[in-house]
Amino acid sequence: MEFELIRQYFEEPFACFNAKHGHTLLRGIGDDCAQLRIPDGHTLYVSSDTSVQGVHFFPDDPPQAISAKALATNLSDLAACGAQPLGFSLNLTLPAPCTESTWMQSFSSGLYQLASAHDCPLVGGDTTRGPCLAVSITVYGHAPKAHHGFHRSLAQVGQDLWVSGVPGLARLGMLCAYQARDRLNELYPQVDHLLQIRALLDGLGPQARALALGAFESPLPRIQLGTALRPLASACMDLSDGLSGDLGHIVAQSGVALHLQSEDLLSSWGNIRQHVNKLEPSVILALALEGGDDYELCFTAWPHHRGEIAQVSKNLQIPLQRVGTVHAGRGVFMHDAAGLQRPVPPVSYNHLANPHHTGEST
Ligand code: ADP
Ligand code: MG
């Protein structure tokens, strides 16, 4: 039964696509080990992430969305290192209802769509039964040896700080997803807080809602951006827990201070702002700083690369926004339009509450 399930939903759907990667995928599904060839002159990058039902996704999420997001969050880690995908393995724990064929079919097709879009063959995995669905993925990637891998310790005083996409939009999407399930009270046990968030969400138009839900449910791994930035960026990371917490990693590892400009951060919401015009700037900033699940890239680069970075943004049609600068010192600081500076605490302190659910890896 288990072999049949693996054959039907993973081996066969990926067979043709995997065969096209024969130069790097020497042996795939169906043997004791997968065997991969790393291209000459390249090094290997490896990253794993696990998604568990009820923690990282809703039990009623469509199976194709669960599988695609599980792979997307892994690919995002490769992107953050400037690596290109070589393949991925899939460890699945399946409760009985998930082994049913329509469920497996759509799980498999969501996975295939994203994997093929990013040239990432499925090289193997493990399948077991268990009490709740868990999807654990390991991605393998490669980059030329000369590439420094965007280590978080590489930020230097005088560099610019950039972000891709719309940081915070995915958190707005998560709030919409909770509201649609009538579960906002789990995130906001305090009634006044709950009413405030409800009012905020009720003010969103359908277009804003769709954009936000899209960002939350279907993050786009920025693989192409990561490779294009190899010669331009120094430190880089993907945003999964909100800027305030994530930037703390660059601060700690590079031994620097990061100064954000609130106006620039708001500009990253550029085209979206017309759809969310009822959101106060302070709410947008809180979403970006304290949110999560963005899977956008955040990187530092020297000012003389600004023109080339703008060109990368144009070529790939991915918005890139300069949001701050690297200074001597320690910590994350926000400068407002009036020039006032305040420290940004490393963890969210309840403006939009700290949700128990989704995305935050431990
Ligand atoms: P073994 O007993 O050697 O560990 P398994 O029965 O676990 O082998 O798996 C058989 C083959 O199917 C292996 O090649 C394994 O990599 C592959 N496989 C198992 N589960 C999955 C999965 N969820 N996705 C892709 N390949 C899988
Ligand atoms: Mg096994």
Side-chain angles (χ1 to χ4, degrees):
M1 142 72 221
E2 187 186 299
F3 286 112
E4 178 49 25
L5 184 141
I6 295 166
R7 190 190 58 73
Q8 194 176 347
Y9 300 108
F10 301 115
E11 191 171 356
E12 283 186 356
F14 277 82
C16 246
F17 171 64
N18 279 7
K20 287 192 199 132
H21 293 79
H23 54 295
T24 48
L25 179 54
L26 307 180
R27 198 159 44 152
I29 300 172
D31 216 318
D32 288 314
C33 286
Q35 189 183 6
L36 299 169
R37 196 182 73 79
I38 303 162
D40 291 342
H42 284 225
T43 54
L44 180 66
Y45 291 72
V46 181
S47 179
S48 291
D49 262 314
T50 300
S51 304
V52 177
Q53 180 180 316
V55 181
H56 300 92
F57 53 86
F58 296 104
D60 62 348
D61 273 341
Q64 68 274 22
I66 297 171
S67 57
K69 187 164 176 179
L71 180 57
T73 59
N74 275 274
L75 288 171
S76 175
D77 286 322
L78 287 185
C81 294
Q84 245 169 299
L86 192 58
F88 73 105
S89 51
L90 171 69
N91 288 6
L92 267 183
T93 306
L94 296 170
C98 297
T99 56
E100 179 259 321
S101 74
T102 22
W103 196 96
M104 281 305 300
Q105 187 65 54
S106 73
F107 183 90
S108 164
S109 79
L111 200 64
Y112 181 82
Q113 272 176 31
L114 196 75
S116 53
H118 292 280
D119 234 11
C120 189
L122 174 58
V123 307
D126 196 30
T127 306
T128 59
R129 290 210 181 236
C132 85
L133 178 64
V135 185
S136 184
I137 288 180
T138 301
V139 280
Y140 312 94
H142 64 96
K145 276 184 184 145
H147 172 53
H148 53 60
F150 294 150
H151 200 277
R152 293 170 185 184
S153 64
L154 294 176
Q156 289 186 58
V157 175
Q159 290 187 323
D160 296 323
L161 181 71
W162 294 78
V163 290
S164 66
V166 186
L169 187 62
R171 176 49 49 98
L172 185 63
M174 191 191 95
L175 297 177
C176 294
Y178 265 86
Q179 189 190 33
R181 290 167 175 82
D182 206 11
R183 286 179 54 181
L184 271 177
N185 57 322
E186 293 170 31
L187 303 181
Y188 301 99
Q190 266 180 284
V191 175
D192 54 340
H193 214 162
L194 177 65
L195 293 176
Q196 210 182 323
I197 292 290
R198 273 214 186 112
L200 182 153
L201 295 177
D202 288 342
L204 292 178
Q207 208 159 354
R209 210 169 269 276
L211 284 166
L213 275 169
F216 172 61
E217 289 168 352
S218 319
L220 299 168
R222 301 299 197 184
I223 293 285
Q224 277 188 305
L225 176 60
T227 52
L229 288 175
R230 278 178 194 159
L232 304 172
S234 295
C236 179
M237 64 182 302
D238 69 327
L239 294 175
S240 54
D241 297 337
L243 271 170
S244 65
D246 285 335
L247 290 180
H249 300 299
I250 293 181
V251 165
Q253 296 195 31
S254 295
V256 294
L258 297 173
H259 288 238
L260 299 165
Q261 298 291 338
S262 61
E263 292 304 301
D264 293 336
L265 202 47
L266 290 169
S267 298
S268 68
W269 280 59
N271 296 334
I272 308 274
R273 274 185 91 182
Q274 56 181 313
H275 303 300
V276 294
N277 53 12
K278 294 217 175 83
L279 290 190
E280 298 279 336
S282 64
V283 172
I284 293 181
L285 292 176
L287 289 167
L289 291 173
E290 303 165 27
D293 286 299
D294 290 309
Y295 302 104
E296 292 293 349
L297 297 189
C298 174
F299 59 94
T300 68
W302 290 112
H304 65 262
H305 287 315
R306 283 178 193 173
E308 293 157 279
I309 292 171
Q311 194 57 48
V312 166
S313 168
K314 206 167 154 198
N315 294 347
L316 299 180
Q317 301 198 344
I318 297 173
L320 294 177
Q321 173 72 40
R322 234 169 346 109
V323 294
T325 38
V326 185
H327 289 244
R330 290 285 187 287
V332 181
F333 301 88
M334 178 70 80
H335 296 246
D336 66 18
L340 290 173
Q341 174 189 319
R342 67 170 173 92
V344 177
V347 281
S348 58
Y349 63 107
N350 228 13
H351 186 106
L352 285 158
N354 200 11
H356 311 124
H357 161 94
T358 77
E360 281 86 342
S361 44
T362 48

